């Protein structure tokens, strides 16, 4: 029997307040309004950005349903939706592409002004019409990054969903919804890594390893992975890192080590952790005159950086970008096609697969540094 137009009762992981476990609850998911899409989630990765909310370092309205790296199937659509239809395989987009705002119209920009992240005063946790589609125990539950994928069903704005190849394996391509797209795009199209170049990647989690994959695809000759967890090194080398360093193995600051071992500094560096000290270290690791450093890790809230501006004056470039610079609705389907054409792997990034009900175990694995990506299956 069709569920279109009806409220769906299903299981979702609700985070009632920070620093608490997620709670599997029965929630009500309202039908999509005009220009909205209801999606049956099939798989969802756990990204560090979800954990930043749990730990309290990323502030969003509570209670909330987290999750933003997923794949699913359209269950029903609201009036006026033209780009997806029921039955389509889709990826929800934590960075939307409205196609109409000033950033979407700019050839280089991708941080769409409809992204809830850009709301003046911080995230609102609601869809574009200003309301939520989730309730639990009589209370409205907030959305997260316009996606909320730790639930059997979600509702998103049409700007926040892309149809993908009907043959795509959803339990793998969910990673293209955030971590992979972010890391890979940061290397190939934000930094524009050049053939023969030397790169340093700080942080070898799911996003950092995707930067490594991008650096290799772009033809970098030397890719130096930096992480305080040496258990990450084998996978980094499998994916293209030529060397790996643990800053704790050295007396001097890691930027000095990198400058020495590369004869003056790297061409491109990436901070994929989300710490102020490593952001500055990554910048200082670049060669003066032309080095480019990219901030990929989400900066910790309410903290400021002081650094020596001579680093910039001397010709280094410091950049940042969300979502790998991709204009999401246009690019995500192409990335899925590239995966299907075997242009890059995703399997090595998936270290664990767990049933949705074990979501807290997935977060524990991430915090303990034991997983790269856990994919939850529904
Ligand atoms: P992760 O936790 O899997 O990986 C982080 C890695 O950093 C781990 O391997 C840690 O061991 C390592 N690390 C921690 N501290 C240090 C240190 N002081 N020096 C060296 N290494 C260290 O996270 P992830 O790969 O899922 O995400 C990485 C960051 O990227 C995180 O801040 C996340 O919020 C951010 C992100 N940004 C975007 C975006 O659009 N910019 C998208 C998705 C994720
Ligand atoms: Zn993410
Ligand atoms: Zn836009």
């Amino acid at each position: 029997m069709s569920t279109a137009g009806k409220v769906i009762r299903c299981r979702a992981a609700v985070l009632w307040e920070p620093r608490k476990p997620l709670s599997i609850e029965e929630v009500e998911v309202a039908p999509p309004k005009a220009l909205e899409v209801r999606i049956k989630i099939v798989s969802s990765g756990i990204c560090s950005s979800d954990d930043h909310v749990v730990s309290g370092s990323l502030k969003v309205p509570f209670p909330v349903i987290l999750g933003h790296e997923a794949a699913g199937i359209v269950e029903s659509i609201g009036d006026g939706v033209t780009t997806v239809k029921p039955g389509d395989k889709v990826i929800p987009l934590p960075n939307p592409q409205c196609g109409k705002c000033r950033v979407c119209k700019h050839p280089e920009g991708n941080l769409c002004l409809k992204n809830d992240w850009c709301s003046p005063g911080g995230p609102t946790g609601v869809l574009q019409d200003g309301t939520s589609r989730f309730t639990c125990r009589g209370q409205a539950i907030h959305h997260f990054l316009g996606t909320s994928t730790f639930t059997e069903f979600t509702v998103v704005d049409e700007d926040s969903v892309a149809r993908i190849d009907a043959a795509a394996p959803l339990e793998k391509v969910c990673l293209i919804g955030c971590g992979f797209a972010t890391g890979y795009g940061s290397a190939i199209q934000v930094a524009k890594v050049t053939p023969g170049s030397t790169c340093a990647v700080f942080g070898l989690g799911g996003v950092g390893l995707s930067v490594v994959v991008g650096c290799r695809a772009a033809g970098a000759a030397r890719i130096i992975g930096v992480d305080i967890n040496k258990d990450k090194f084998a996978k980094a080398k499998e994916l293209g890192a030529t060397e790996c360093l643990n800053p704790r193995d050295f007396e001097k600051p890691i930027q000095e080590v990198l400058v020495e071992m590369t004869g003056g500094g790297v061409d491109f560096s990436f901070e994929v952790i989300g710490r102020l000290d490593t952001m500055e270290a990554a910048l200082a690791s670049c060669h003066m005159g032309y080095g480019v450093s990219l901030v990929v890790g989400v900066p910790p809230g309410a903290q400021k950086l002081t650094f020596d501006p001579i680093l910039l004056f001397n010709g280094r470039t410091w950049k940042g970008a969300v979502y790998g610079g991709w204009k999401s609705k246009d690019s995500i389907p192409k990335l899925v096609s590239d995966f299907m054409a075997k242009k890059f792997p995703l399997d090595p990034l998936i270290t664990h697969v767990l049933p949705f009900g074990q979501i807290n175990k997935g977060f524990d694995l991430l915090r303990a540094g034991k997983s790269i990506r856990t994919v939850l299956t529904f």
Side-chain angles (χ1 to χ4, degrees):
M1 207 177 66
S2 169
T3 45
K6 297 176 188 154
V7 170
I8 293 179
R9 274 174 217 287
C10 66
R11 289 186 314 150
V14 176
L15 185 65
W16 293 99
E17 53 185 310
R19 292 175 286 279
K20 289 277 159 61
L22 291 91
S23 170
I24 303 281
E25 308 268 359
E26 186 180 88
V27 299
E28 294 87 38
V29 184
K33 293 189 184 176
L35 303 180
E36 293 176 359
V37 178
R38 192 159 59 182
I39 304 166
K40 180 175 173 29
I41 298 294
V42 172
S43 61
S44 184
I46 300 176
C47 172
S48 262
S49 303
D50 298 307
D51 195 38
H52 292 333
V53 177
V54 182
S55 70
S57 71
L58 199 61
K59 301 258 180 288
V60 304
F62 282 86
V64 61
I65 296 177
L66 298 175
H68 61 281
E69 183 178 89
I73 295 170
V74 174
E75 174 269 341
S76 63
I77 56 176
D79 290 345
V81 170
T82 56
T83 57
V84 297
K85 60 180 185 316
D88 282 350
K89 282 190 180 174
V90 291
I91 288 184
L93 305 169
N95 178 42
Q97 183 186 355
C98 77
K100 299 186 194 101
C101 75
R102 207 162 163 170
V103 179
C104 281
K105 283 188 172 157
H106 192 283
E108 300 284 323
N110 80 315
L111 181 52
C112 172
L113 296 181
K114 295 283 186 192
N115 191 323
D116 190 33
W117 184 255
C118 309
S119 301
T124 59
V126 287
L127 295 182
Q128 286 180 24
D129 88 328
T131 61
S132 160
R133 296 294 156 271
F134 300 116
T135 49
C136 179
R137 303 191 211 167
Q139 191 178 343
I141 308 293
H142 290 93
H143 295 246
F144 178 56
L145 296 175
T147 46
S148 289
T149 63
F150 295 154
T151 169
E152 290 170 325
F153 288 86
T154 191
V155 178
V156 304
D157 289 295
E158 188 181 9
D159 298 338
S160 301
V161 58
R163 182 174 60 201
I164 58 167
D165 187 331
L170 298 183
E171 71 289 357
K172 293 182 184 171
V173 297
C174 55
L175 298 196
I176 295 176
C178 182
F180 182 79
T182 299
Y184 187 70
S186 295
I188 69 168
Q189 68 163 13
V190 184
K192 298 190 170 55
V193 167
T194 47
S197 60
T198 296
C199 303
V201 182
F202 287 67
L204 300 172
V207 186
L209 290 174
S210 302
V211 172
V212 170
V213 173
C215 292
R216 176 154 84 172
R222 211 171 160 192
I223 304 170
I224 308 168
V226 179
D227 202 297
I228 51 173
N229 179 353
K230 64 178 174 21
D231 295 348
K232 307 277 173 125
F233 294 172
K235 184 83 34 139
K237 287 184 177 162
E238 179 190 335
L239 288 167
T242 52
E243 297 134 273
C244 289
L245 305 177
N246 182 345
R248 292 179 176 162
D249 289 344
F250 300 90
E251 300 261 309
K252 34 174 116 152
I254 194 66
Q255 56 269 38
E256 288 178 25
V257 176
L258 282 159
V259 165
E260 267 174 30
M261 68 190 269
T262 56
V266 301
D267 300 300
F268 301 95
S269 69
F270 301 84
E271 201 280 353
V272 205
I273 304 163
R275 293 175 55 94
L276 302 186
D277 58 344
T278 41
M279 287 176 189
E280 192 181 353
L283 175 65
S285 306
C286 287
H287 204 289
M288 66 167 71
Y290 55 78
V292 175
S293 187
L294 210 72
V295 172
V296 184
V298 175
Q303 288 184 33
K304 294 220 170 26
L305 195 58
T306 43
F307 70 100
D308 187 347
I310 199 81
L311 289 167
L312 300 182
F313 182 78
N314 282 351
R316 296 175 188 83
T317 302
W318 212 356
K319 298 173 84 170
V322 303
Y323 213 59
W326 302 111
K327 286 183 185 288
S328 60
K329 202 152 166 143
D330 292 344
S331 306
I332 292 302
K334 290 183 193 149
L335 282 173
V336 171
S337 302
D338 286 350
F339 169 71
M340 301 295 282
K342 298 195 166 38
K343 292 194 182 160
F344 55 78
L346 291 173
D347 287 41
L349 301 174
I350 303 171
T351 51
H352 299 76
V353 178
L354 290 176
F356 171 52
Q358 292 186 32
I359 186 167
N360 285 305
K361 184 174 172 198
F363 274 88
D364 288 342
L365 287 164
L366 181 68
R367 291 174 196 135
K370 291 194 173 135
S371 60
I372 299 299
R373 275 300 194 257
T374 293
V375 170
L376 301 168
T377 53
F378 290 74

